[in-house]
Amino acid sequence: MSIWNLIVPFAVCSVLCGALILLNQRLGIGRDKSTGVQKFHVNATSRLGGVALFMGLIFTVGWANSNGSISSTTHNFLNLFILSSIPVFLAGILEDITHKIAPASRLILALISSTLAYLLLEVKVTRTDVWVVDWLLQWPIFIYLFTLLVISGFTHATNIIDGFNGLASGQILLMLGFLSYLNYTTNQLDLFFLSMSLFFITIGFFVWNWPFGKIFLGDGGAYFLGFCVVFLGLLLVYRSAQVSPFAPIMLGIYPLVEVIFSMYRRGFIRGRSVTKPDAIHLHSLIFRRVIKRNLDKKSNPQISNSKVAFVFWFSTLAFGLLTCLFYKETGYLLILFSIYILLYIDLFVRLVRFKTPRYIFTLLSRLRW
């Protein structure tokens, strides 16, 4: 990839984000609601960051094709990927604009995107290294259903962690960075181009989103980036027999654990609908019971908001590096998976009981800006 194929995605997305911020400030277009149990921002902010990300990818693909940076085969692959992502992107953007798209409708559009990826680009879950699941995956119907579950599930999981400045976008940047490394290592050059392009496109959004929260991903951006990451992870495993199925799972473990634990907590512990939003996510607890209660009582709300992401960046970086080291070894990755689950549950329980671990205070107390 030439340097321009990295600069252009960043510049295009960044400029589009700036334009969307102005449209929000002058005309109120794409303005987020400031009320709701999961709202932690104080200023009227655009939630149309997904538009800049999606248009940034379209422009990047066109640019690379026009200057001969990619082959016709790769160009066709990228066009089919964009086509596959349109339904789930529209599901989020329509919700961002109208606030009236039912969760069931958004799920249906996510399933349509999953089906298009399955049919057009052979994105399939054919192995998991879990013998019961792999036994079921002998039959095509189970391959199709399980693929739909994984893609649509992770897409929605990404939206769940989109609550604080830089939290979701920072996670996505780390995932895309690690996926780029694995794609390059396994010689998946079309996937490498896509993951690197998305990495720099997301940086173009990130510089506006963190730390001051000038623009948000919104449902459109979260769904789109979630779809991109799970698409890249599944196709990497499908194409490369040397890559353990648990490698992409470990790279995306935070949103996966968050959504599964949230469903368990809402449905089994609290006896509520699993789709009903609440403010008891791990990131919400860190904000309310550590940062606001103990560290930043008098700080600028936007600065306090932006500190939440650091905890999760640190854990994702650490586990991501270990995953790239052991990406061929399912046994080691299962050990990492178990350690992450135990750490997540331990931290959640401690925060619920107002017993914050010292390492959280140590990490966050160093952020004096």
Side-chain angles (χ1 to χ4, degrees), residues 237-250:
V237 172
Y238 181 72
R239 290 182 178 181
S240 305
Q242 60 184 307
V243 178
S244 167
F246 272 82
I249 290 175
M250 284 305 305

Side-chain angles (χ1 to χ4, degrees), residues 193-206:
F193 178 89
L194 177 57
S195 57
M196 285 296 290
S197 296
L198 288 167
F199 181 84
F200 280 90
I201 289 168
T202 306
I203 292 178
F205 166 84
F206 182 83

Side-chain angles (χ1 to χ4, degrees), residues 269-326:
I269 297 179
R270 308 189 71 190
R272 302 173 60 183
S273 169
V274 296
T275 61
K276 189 175 180 62
D278 59 31
I280 318 180
H281 296 294
L282 184 58
H283 50 265
S284 305
L285 289 173
I286 288 175
F287 178 72
R288 289 189 285 107
R289 299 195 174 181
V290 182
I291 294 176
K292 294 297 293 181
R293 186 182 179 88
N294 298 290
L295 298 176
D296 283 354
K297 295 180 179 179
K298 298 180 180 180
S299 296
N300 182 319
Q302 290 286 16
I303 296 300
S304 298
N305 181 306
S306 67
K307 292 184 179 182
V308 176
F310 269 90
V311 176
F312 300 94
W313 294 349
F314 182 81
S315 62
T316 298
L317 178 62
F319 279 89
L321 289 171
L322 289 171
T323 297
C324 287
L325 182 63
F326 300 112

Side-chain angles (χ1 to χ4, degrees), residues 2 87 93 95 117 139 146 154 167 178 182 213-214 241 270 287 307 312 337 347 349 358 362 368:
S2 71
I93 287 298
E95 169 62 15
W139 292 278
F146 198 73
F154 188 84
L167 178 56
F178 291 130
L182 293 178
K214 297 295 184 180
R270 308 189 71 190
F287 178 72
K307 292 184 179 182
F312 300 94
F337 181 85
L347 179 56
V349 171
R358 184 173 296 275
T362 301
R368 294 300 182 186

Side-chain angles (χ1 to χ4, degrees), residues 118-181:
Y118 179 91
L119 295 175
L120 299 177
L121 293 164
E122 292 191 295
V123 180
K124 301 176 181 180
V125 180
T126 57
R127 58 189 176 94
T128 64
D129 286 357
V130 178
W131 75 266
V132 175
V133 179
D134 286 349
W135 179 77
L136 290 173
L137 293 177
Q138 297 177 82
W139 292 278
I141 184 61
F142 286 107
I143 292 177
Y144 172 67
L145 293 176
F146 198 73
T147 301
L148 261 62
L149 174 64
V150 172
I151 296 178
S152 58
F154 188 84
T155 297
H156 282 74
T158 306
N159 194 39
I160 281 184
I161 66 168
D162 180 31
F164 292 91
N165 300 342
L167 178 56
S169 55
Q171 292 291 313
I172 293 295
L173 279 173
L174 289 168
M175 294 177 204
L176 288 171
F178 291 130
L179 284 168
S180 295
Y181 168 78

Side-chain angles (χ1 to χ4, degrees), residues 255-270:
L256 285 172
V257 171
E258 187 65 50
V259 71
I260 293 171
F261 189 74
S262 296
M263 292 173 66
Y264 169 76
R265 172 172 48 79
R266 293 169 183 171
F268 291 93
I269 297 179
R270 308 189 71 190

Side-chain angles (χ1 to χ4, degrees), residues 80-91 104-120 144 147-149 151-152 155-156 227:
L80 290 176
F81 167 74
I82 292 172
L83 176 63
S84 300
S85 70
I86 288 175
V88 72
F89 170 71
L90 287 178
S105 299
R106 282 177 269 159
L107 176 60
I108 290 171
L109 288 169
L111 292 173
I112 292 173
S113 279
S114 305
T115 300
L116 288 173
Y118 179 91
L119 295 175
L120 299 177
Y144 172 67
T147 301
L148 261 62
L149 174 64
I151 296 178
S152 58
T155 297
H156 282 74
F227 179 82

